[in-house]
Amino acid sequence: MKTSTHRPGTNTREQLLLNSAFFLLFPGFFYYHTLLGTGTTGAFLGGYFSPISIAYMLPLFFVYYRRMRLDARRRSAVDLHYGLFNAYFVAVIIVNAAAGANRAIIANHLVCILFMVNTFIMFTFIDFEHRQFRLMALASLAGMSAIAFSFSVNGVFYLGALGIARDAESLATYQGFARSYLMTFLPVVAYTRSMPLRLALYAVGAATLFVNTARSEFAALLFAIPIIEFYFSRHKLVFLGLAVVIGMAIYVHLDDIIAPLPESRILELVDLSHSTSANKRHHLTVYARQTIAAHPILGDYASYAPGYYSHNVLSAWVDLGLFGFVYVLAITIVPAIPMFFKEYLAGRRRPEFILGFSMACVTVLLLISSHFFTDMLIGATLGAYSQYRFERKYGKYRPPHLSPSPLRHEDLRQAMPQPGSSRA
């Protein structure tokens, strides 16, 4: 771990603000809903995430404005295109609100924009390598895992099943708990250089999300593990060989591995044809395709009941039209391409890179399979990518200056001793 000093150019008070926003929004969400689900407290903050995000909105915007004003190098194409996407999104909302679109969907989209922007700012400027952040994040992960194991019933962690929540309608679903865990887990693992500690984090993280039963986040964690470990491995061919052997062994003995495990939604990943949730998502996807076929250019904003959106990137086409769909694909896929070719196989070990790259891969996976286009992972991914680009160009990973030294004399004769002149 690093010392207690933040990286150069970092304001300590700003880091305290950013850290408090991160830990209140993610681990804080997990702990709040644990208190709510165990009947310890009522829903005095509603669903929690919205009021906390609103409370941090102006402070985080101020941090962003101050950093951009103090250092013009911080302004990049990432900020520009993400800003343009959100501006286009807001314009679509305004036009459809004036046309009488569903107010519940409009309110949800506006709140989602706030979530994505706040997350973008946090992942752009937080010093994830700092000792204070890492200790708090490791303690948060340990606390969340302990809660999940302590309150699991028959191998399933779902506090609603306890039936003791005072405001059960405000209690988060398993996706909310899993989101908080995954968003905390990825920065911690990416900045962990010790392989034994990473392996321990993988084991505990996978077990926690297994009992949590959030299939998408569980699959995302398993998907990120080989991406991260291949990057950190010194002998990549050996790693690939071991990965193939382990994969084949798991495939051959899959039934034996599953047999002793408790019943869980996670096991439905082996055969989604028997999953009611997967079948429902399939029908929502079919409905989205029908909507796109009927409105291929502009889409059909809010043409579904609240909550009944397509659980994949096609949701962007339905609500934002073809242009919005292409823009979402561009801002999520394009950053990963140069990162892969410039850095992933280069043999370096930069935590800023692997955080941004692994999050980009996870975001693409979830957008293809299960998540809505307003998922806050998009903002977090672009923020992590922005931080990596800045560190690579201007920070500790910038390439050395290799241009020749400036001449001490404008004319060669000035450098030569002249007859009758004294030598310096």
Side-chain angles (χ1 to χ4, degrees), residues 26-151:
F26 296 113
F29 177 94
F30 196 106
Y31 297 138
Y32 169 82
H33 281 276
T34 298
L35 295 174
L36 186 60
T38 55
T40 307
T41 184
F44 63 95
L45 287 175
Y48 184 82
F49 211 89
S50 294
I52 299 298
S53 293
I54 292 171
Y56 274 98
M57 176 179 65
L58 291 179
L60 289 176
F61 283 0
F62 175 76
V63 169
Y64 182 82
Y65 172 76
R66 181 180 178 276
R67 290 290 188 91
M68 294 299 168
R69 186 179 178 186
L70 290 178
D71 192 348
R73 298 175 303 177
R74 281 281 184 186
R75 304 185 193 120
S76 67
V78 181
D79 303 79
L80 173 64
H81 286 289
Y82 195 47
L84 289 175
F85 168 74
N86 284 308
Y88 173 75
F89 192 3
V90 170
V92 170
I93 292 174
I94 292 173
V95 170
N96 285 277
N102 190 306
R103 301 296 177 184
I105 294 177
I106 289 172
N108 178 65
H109 282 170
L110 290 173
V111 171
C112 286
I113 292 173
L114 174 63
F115 294 166
M116 291 194 297
V117 172
N118 281 354
T119 310
F120 171 78
I121 295 172
M122 286 188 290
F123 275 76
T124 300
F125 297 117
I126 288 180
D127 186 357
F128 292 113
E129 200 165 14
H130 190 257
R131 179 182 177 85
Q132 181 188 64
F133 178 89
R134 287 188 50 75
L135 289 175
M136 292 179 66
L138 285 168
S140 297
L141 287 175
M144 288 187 281
S145 294
I147 289 170
F149 297 140
S150 299
F151 290 99

Side-chain angles (χ1 to χ4, degrees), residues 319-374:
D319 278 324
L320 303 183
L322 177 60
F323 177 78
F325 171 73
V326 172
Y327 217 153
V328 168
L329 290 179
I331 63 176
T332 52
I333 295 176
V334 169
I337 296 173
M339 294 176 82
F340 177 82
F341 287 105
K342 290 182 179 180
E343 186 84 25
Y344 190 63
L345 302 175
R348 292 183 283 263
R349 295 171 182 81
R350 299 175 179 174
E352 287 91 351
F353 164 78
I354 197 57
L355 175 61
F357 184 72
S358 62
M359 292 193 76
C361 295
V362 164
T363 300
V364 171
L365 172 70
L366 294 179
L367 282 177
I368 292 172
S369 60
S370 60
H371 280 202
F372 192 48
F373 77 95
T374 58

Side-chain angles (χ1 to χ4, degrees), residues 154-156 209-213 261-268:
N154 296 325
V156 175
L209 292 182
F210 182 87
V211 300
N212 177 255
T213 73
L261 295 176
E263 290 294 328
S264 173
R265 294 177 71 254
I266 298 294
L267 300 181
E268 293 178 356

